[in-house]
Amino acid sequence: MNVVCICVVVSLMGSLTLKYAFKGGNGTFYKLLKEKVDDYFTESKLHPAGNGKLYVKSALQILSATILYVVLVFFTPVVPLALLLCVALGINLALIGFNVMHEGGHQAFSSNARMNSVSAYFLNVLGGISYYWKIKHNINHHTYTNVEGMDSDIDVKPFMRLHVDQPLRGYHRFQHIYWVVLYGISYLAWIFYEDFVKYFSGKVSVNGEKKALAVREHVVFWFTKVIYLGVYVFIPIVMVGWLSWLLGFLVITIICGLVISVVFQLAHVVGGTHFHSAKGDRGDATQEWAIHQVESTSNFGTSSKSLHWLLGGLNFQIEHHLFPRVSHIHYPAISRLVRDACREAGIVYNEHTSLWKALVSHLHYLWRLGRA
């Protein structure tokens, strides 16, 4: 990534201009870091994108989700077992999002551009819209991580307060408790509400500018939503009845929403990570974009091979934010290089040793932000 003067100007309520900028050019830290990583791939004779191991894993996850769906819809077992399979399918769908869609959306799934495009469209298979996600995630979140007014991932107003510059409400003092409900319904809200808000408003984020969709994207949007309703709603209702469908559908989507939300929140909204605001803090012209990414991000459970396999390397968020086009299969190796570069530059490398410790830190952060 060539880090030039990264800045943006957006309109807020038609009167306030938000701007956030980083130091122009590739700074000393990023040059040091990129040199180490480039040398690793050159000496190892590896391509930064995914390889056969990723393809096999992805195929297994897609196959297991298909089998679970077929069993639940066409060979529905007794209720206790069916509910367990619904939980498994909810987790399985989240894993496809992490390992297939997320990699493709960052053009890291394969060295083949077409394969990346296909894997990115697995978000549409899950009911979302890849076009919107690429703007919201790749641009807004990956550039302006933890910047209030820019990063929509920390904008859950008015339901939660994730930044000190966001309004404090009385009910926020309980957000460390009711987060489970909000995270659980996040997938449903995403598919049935947020995508439609983006579509009809023409804005990917509240502070973004209105943009017209190409005809192709209009077709993809409606095709995605109709197919999703057919596969996840109409066919199951016909096969198992509306009450059984409703129970199973809620279990699947709530579990999927919980898994996705928790994994992404543990990467940024925890103790030790830095937060900024585009309102009162217009950016630091002396700070590199790469340093900002390290300071606003945190890893967790990186010693766990199973966690890395399941989450598509999203427990190595620092490496992912610095090198989004590098497949997660390389993160354990390059994380050592990133640690060395941070140590040499005197930059804190945020990490929790386990998923549980990261979750505790996240809940403590919610508790603290809900009070002051």
Side-chain angles (χ1 to χ4, degrees):
M1 177 182 293
N2 182 26
V3 184
V4 294
C5 183
I6 303 176
C7 60
V8 70
V9 178
V10 294
S11 171
L12 178 63
M13 296 183 292
S15 60
L16 178 63
T17 296
L18 299 182
K19 182 178 181 180
Y20 201 88
F22 301 105
K23 181 180 180 180
N26 291 329
T28 304
F29 173 67
Y30 187 75
K31 287 179 179 178
L32 169 68
L33 184 58
K34 191 173 186 302
E35 182 179 349
K36 288 177 180 289
V37 173
D38 286 346
D39 287 345
Y40 164 76
F41 283 113
T42 300
E43 293 170 4
S44 303
K45 297 181 181 180
L46 294 172
H47 193 283
N51 56 25
K53 291 182 179 179
L54 176 57
Y55 305 155
V56 170
K57 175 171 67 167
S58 299
L60 288 174
Q61 292 176 348
I62 293 169
L63 177 62
S64 61
T66 303
I67 292 173
L68 286 168
Y69 175 87
V70 170
V71 170
L72 284 166
V73 175
F74 299 102
F75 305 96
T76 313
V78 294
V79 174
L81 178 57
L83 289 177
L84 287 176
L85 293 181
C86 285
V87 171
L89 181 54
I91 295 173
N92 204 152
L93 293 179
L95 299 188
I96 290 175
F98 298 150
N99 292 276
V100 184
M101 183 282 295
H102 187 258
E103 291 274 289
H106 282 291
Q107 301 179 54
F109 186 82
S110 169
S111 57
N112 184 290
R114 183 166 294 181
M115 285 189 68
N116 284 324
S117 180
V118 170
S119 57
Y121 271 115
F122 265 87
L123 177 59
N124 296 64
V125 175
L126 302 181
I129 304 298
S130 177
Y131 172 81
Y132 290 145
W133 182 87
K134 287 179 180 179
I135 297 174
K136 177 179 180 291
H137 183 79
N138 291 1
I139 299 176
N140 296 355
H141 172 65
H142 267 266
T143 304
Y144 305 101
T145 311
N146 281 6
V147 177
E148 166 63 7
M150 303 290 198
D151 184 0
S152 51
D153 279 16
I154 60 170
D155 185 3
V156 199
K157 302 187 295 287
F159 308 107
M160 299 185 74
R161 184 174 187 250
L162 302 181
H163 192 287
V164 293
D165 283 356
Q166 295 174 351
L168 177 63
R169 312 292 184 187
Y171 51 83
H172 287 154
R173 64 187 295 107
F174 303 108
Q175 65 179 5
H176 64 291
I177 298 173
Y178 65 71
W179 65 274
V180 178
V181 176
L182 292 182
Y183 292 2
I185 64 174
S186 61
Y187 178 47
L188 283 171
W190 181 0
I191 302 303
F192 292 109
Y193 176 71
E194 292 176 9
D195 280 346
F196 287 95
V197 170
K198 294 180 179 69
Y199 182 83
F200 288 109
S201 70
K203 296 182 177 182
V204 176
S205 62
V206 175
N207 297 331
E209 62 181 39
K210 189 173 182 178
K211 292 184 178 180
L213 275 181
V215 173
R216 178 180 181 277
E217 297 303 334
H218 281 286
V219 174
V220 170
F221 180 92
W222 289 109
F223 180 79
T224 296
K225 296 305 179 181
V226 170
I227 293 299
Y228 182 83
L229 288 175
V231 173
Y232 291 91
V233 180
F234 296 137
I235 293 177
I237 288 177
V238 170
M239 298 304 299
V240 304
W242 74 270
L243 189 58
S244 295
W245 160 79
L246 181 61
L247 179 59
F249 184 71
L250 288 177
V251 171
I252 293 168
T253 53
I254 287 173
I255 292 297
C256 184
L258 270 173
V259 173
I260 292 175
S261 296
V262 167
V263 168
F264 280 101
Q265 291 290 60
L266 299 190
H268 303 288
V269 188
V270 292
T273 55
H274 291 199
F275 291 79
H276 301 275
S277 175
K279 296 177 182 178
D281 177 1
R282 297 304 177 93
D284 185 350
T286 65
Q287 185 180 49
E288 295 179 40
W289 168 86
I291 295 177
H292 172 88
Q293 292 304 315
V294 174
E295 292 181 342
S296 61
T297 308
S298 180
N299 287 358
F300 61 90
T302 56
S303 62
S304 172
K305 292 183 179 180
S306 59
L307 205 59
H308 173 255
W309 191 93
L310 291 169
L311 303 185
L314 290 177
N315 53 328
F316 287 86
Q317 276 284 329
I318 293 176
E319 288 69 29
H320 172 59
H321 269 252
L322 290 169
F323 301 98
R325 290 195 177 188
V326 172
S327 174
H328 75 270
I329 62 174
H330 303 294
Y331 291 167
I334 68 173
S335 69
R336 294 189 290 271
L337 306 177
V338 175
R339 290 173 191 270
D340 289 343
C342 287
R343 190 179 305 111
E344 292 175 32
I347 300 170
V348 175
Y349 184 94
N350 298 306
E351 180 171 16
H352 291 90
T353 55
S354 68
L355 185 150
W356 172 250
K357 289 183 178 179
L359 180 59
V360 170
S361 179
H362 174 60
L363 296 182
H364 182 264
Y365 180 87
L366 294 182
W367 177 84
R368 181 164 56 84
L369 266 289
R371 283 162 170 73

